[in-house]
Amino acid sequence: MSDSIGKKTVRDIDVRGKRVLVRADLNVPIEDGVITDDTRIRESLPTIEYLLGQDARVIVCSHLGRPKGPDPALSLAPVAGRMANLLGREVLFAEDCVGPVAEAAVEAMGRHVLLLENLRFHPGEEKNDPEFARQLASLADVFVNDAFGAAHRAHASTEG
């Protein structure tokens, strides 16, 4: 166990064959559907690559912007494409982050990385709704918070 703050790190957990939900900070600037700075995506790669190297099934979630419900301009779909390019492997995209769409995507993902749609499309994310947090948690066996830039927020995906 990591002795710096009494928390486990991703290297302290046996993730082999497990579904791992990674809360990443992929809140990148997008103009006209084009990512203008992929720094945050690049910063998420070491954790994702480590998990893949440990034979984990990696499910990534994040927010993008401040939508007040579903908004195609704030979809994480372009992020999935850029992440695939940077990883050199296919990244699947689920058009929702909870519910039947997300559950079906997790079931069908195989050994691909799966990126879930924008968490903030659901009001339960920012409200730290326990039911929304439960639905997210039900997608995986292990949770990894790799979203340093969002870790201070009392949201369902970071605190709940």
Side-chain angles (χ1 to χ4, degrees):
M1 184 147 117
S2 173
D3 55 358
S4 61
I5 58 173
K7 300 284 182 183
K8 289 186 177 185
T9 73
V10 69
R11 296 186 191 300
D12 296 322
I13 302 166
D14 178 12
V15 296
R16 190 165 311 281
K18 293 182 180 164
R19 295 170 301 158
V20 179
L21 180 65
V22 177
R23 176 47 163 104
D25 184 3
L26 304 175
N27 191 20
V28 298
I30 298 179
E31 294 177 16
D32 299 319
V34 177
I35 297 168
T36 59
D37 181 355
D38 66 4
T39 302
R40 290 183 176 178
I41 301 170
R42 289 178 183 276
E43 289 174 349
S44 71
L45 298 182
T47 299
I48 294 168
E49 290 171 332
Y50 173 79
L51 290 167
L52 290 170
Q54 297 299 305
D55 199 30
R57 296 176 60 202
V58 181
I59 306 159
V60 182
C61 65
S62 183
H63 75 275
L64 179 63
R66 296 189 177 276
K68 299 299 179 207
D71 179 350
L74 294 174
S75 173
L76 285 168
V79 174
R82 182 64 182 142
M83 184 180 286
N85 181 266
L86 293 169
L87 284 171
R89 64 185 299 152
E90 186 174 11
V91 173
L92 304 178
F93 181 70
E95 294 180 359
D96 203 348
C97 57
V98 293
V101 170
E103 292 164 6
V106 168
E107 188 66 32
M109 69 184 277
R111 294 294 179 196
H112 296 289
V113 174
L114 172 66
L115 177 61
L116 304 175
E117 183 56 280
N118 193 338
L119 294 164
R120 287 189 179 171
F121 284 1
H122 293 269
E125 166 64 356
E126 290 185 276
K127 291 179 181 175
N128 197 6
D129 178 67
E131 177 58 20
F132 184 75
R134 186 200 63 73
Q135 288 181 51
L136 275 174
S138 74
L139 299 175
D141 305 306
V142 175
F143 173 73
V144 174
N145 190 350
D146 198 48
F148 182 77
H152 67 286
R153 299 186 187 281
H155 291 173
S157 66
T158 56
E159 182 181 277

